[in-house]
Amino acid sequence: SSRIQQPTRWRQRHRAGGSLRFRARRTFWRSATLLLLLSAVCPACRISSSASNAIARVRSPQKFPLLMLRGVMKRFVSVWLPRFAIERMMRDRPGAIPPDKASALIDSGPHGLTLSAVNTPAAREGLRPGLRLADARAVIPGLVTQAAEPEVDRRCLEKLAAAAGRYGPNRNTEGADGVWIDITGVAHLFDGEASLTDDLRRRFKEAGFTALCGVADTPGAAFALARHAAPGAPSNSTIAPADGCRAALASCPVEGLRLDTATLLLLKRLGLKRIGHLYGLPRIALARRFRDLKGKDARGAGPLRQREELAASVVMRLDQALGATPDLRVPLTEVPRRIVQQTYPDGLISHDGI
């Protein structure tokens, strides 16, 4: 019986030793990963060069991106063109929109003709996009109107995004009136981010468009700063410092989180009007508030499952703006340049040969 049990006992001891060795290796790699990450983020926690080199020799360097080890932070600029459709028509069709009279572009919607864009005199009188044309006529009987051209606006915005390649290779349109640009590692070529945004706004102004810029670590934060910063503030007030999105977005309204109308309405009914109001609110409590809406507060919010989805969208947009969740963007694809070449054995010296 001892001869029969001996291989079994040896096999059990071998398995136990193998599992212990596996656990030891796993603990070592986890500790090494944590030390390298801490050394990249916190200067006070940096490990010695000999230990770092020893880990790097054993572990493949592809596991730790170079940008992460050097602490390089991504930077994005969001360009908002608040009067894009109006200014585009004024540039392409001079005289169609008088600059000194209240004018608007109209488009057909589910409730009839509505305003899609207004110029500065019309905005001063209280008109805004989304207002029905009949209500706008009641406010300003002599309102000058033109039909909107969304397809022409889209092509023009794509051309503007393509022309913004001098500020970064990765860029694309953002909605119907904006452009985002990845300016990581480019700002020093313009003597800083403030000079970069000044140059960018100057070039947009020369093209006939009013541009407002926001710069932050994430495209979501840059979007909020460009559209909801204090009006009339200097350009450097829309630039969030590195790793400062949380403080820069605290005073911005919740409209900066790129939420739909129903979600914004529910947030305001709950008294959450600023992005900073969401910081100290636990995620479970936010979902419970959306779920427990009753009476007139729940009007237009939909069934229970839809309200839970709205709460999840708030959390996702907030995490994207703060950098806790990736906000993936698809850059503009460059038009391929094709060149046709043909060689001849002898030189072409006659007109017929050419």
Side-chain angles (χ1 to χ4, degrees):
S1 60
S2 59
R3 293 181 180 179
I4 298 175
Q5 294 179 0
Q6 184 176 2
T8 304
R9 293 174 182 175
W10 177 84
R11 193 176 295 110
Q12 290 177 354
R13 289 196 300 269
H14 179 70
R15 289 178 180 176
S19 61
L20 290 176
R21 287 193 295 271
F22 172 77
R23 292 177 184 177
R25 287 197 298 267
R26 184 177 59 183
T27 304
F28 170 77
W29 292 126
R30 286 181 178 178
S31 303
T33 304
L34 181 60
L35 286 175
L36 287 175
L37 292 177
L38 287 177
S39 64
V41 176
C42 180
C45 302
R46 288 179 179 173
I47 59 178
S48 63
S49 58
S50 59
S52 178
N53 294 334
I55 296 174
R57 283 194 301 268
V58 179
R59 193 169 181 85
S60 177
Q62 285 79 7
K63 298 296 182 179
F64 302 98
L66 184 60
L67 294 179
M68 181 183 295
L69 291 177
R70 293 186 177 180
V72 176
M73 185 71 68
K74 300 282 287 185
R75 299 291 285 175
F76 294 88
V77 58
S78 178
V79 185
W80 180 39
L81 310 175
R83 311 290 182 197
F84 171 68
I86 289 285
E87 293 173 342
R88 199 275 312 163
M89 184 168 290
M90 293 176 61
R91 188 191 67 170
D92 296 348
R93 297 169 53 187
I97 303 294
D100 55 344
K101 294 183 180 180
S103 306
L105 301 181
I106 58 175
D107 196 4
S108 60
H111 303 289
L113 295 178
T114 57
L115 306 184
S116 61
V118 298
N119 64 350
T120 303
R124 292 173 183 169
E125 296 295 333
L127 301 187
R128 66 186 186 279
L131 188 67
R132 291 189 300 178
L133 180 60
D135 298 335
R137 294 283 190 189
V139 178
I140 306 177
L143 179 67
V144 179
T145 60
Q146 294 287 343
E149 299 174 341
E151 187 62 25
V152 179
D153 295 339
R154 183 188 62 81
R155 291 196 299 265
C156 180
L157 190 62
E158 290 179 353
K159 292 180 180 179
L160 292 176
R166 63 181 273 114
Y167 304 103
N170 296 331
R171 75 277 188 201
N172 206 340
T173 60
E174 191 168 30
D177 55 0
V179 176
W180 66 267
I181 312 170
D182 185 354
I183 60 170
T184 305
V186 181
H188 70 281
L189 302 176
F190 295 86
D191 202 13
E193 294 176 345
S195 300
L196 185 147
T197 55
D198 291 341
D199 182 79
L200 192 151
R201 293 194 302 171
R202 178 180 60 82
R203 290 181 178 272
F204 269 89
K205 185 177 180 180
E206 292 176 355
F209 299 100
T210 303
L212 300 177
C213 302
V215 182
D217 297 339
T218 63
F223 177 93
L225 292 177
R227 287 158 176 78
H228 301 284
S235 60
N236 57 5
S237 66
T238 62
I239 299 178
D243 201 15
C245 292
R246 188 179 184 89
L249 296 178
S251 60
C252 293
V254 291
E255 285 81 358
L257 292 179
R258 300 170 293 167
L259 300 169
D260 55 14
T261 306
T263 308
L264 293 174
L265 183 61
L266 290 181
L267 287 175
K268 291 182 179 181
R269 287 176 180 175
L270 294 174
L272 305 172
K273 300 180 180 180
R274 301 287 177 182
I275 297 179
H277 296 164
L278 302 172
Y279 290 168
L281 190 63
R283 308 301 172 86
I284 300 178
L286 178 63
R288 184 173 62 250
R289 287 193 181 189
F290 273 71
R291 186 175 58 251
D292 296 342
L293 286 174
K294 297 179 181 180
K296 63 179 182 179
D297 292 339
R299 189 178 307 165
L304 177 61
R305 179 174 294 275
Q306 183 176 354
R307 278 179 280 171
E308 292 178 350
E309 292 177 356
L310 295 180
S313 66
V314 174
V315 174
M316 180 190 67
R317 290 300 189 185
L318 179 62
D319 289 342
Q320 287 179 346
L322 298 179
T325 301
D327 189 1
L328 302 179
R329 298 297 181 97
V330 179
L332 192 67
T333 56
E334 297 287 348
V335 178
R337 298 180 180 180
R338 296 181 174 87
I339 300 176
V340 178
Q341 184 177 0
Q342 185 175 358
T343 59
Y344 297 90
D346 300 326
L348 300 178
I349 58 175
S350 63
H351 184 272
D352 297 335
I354 296 176

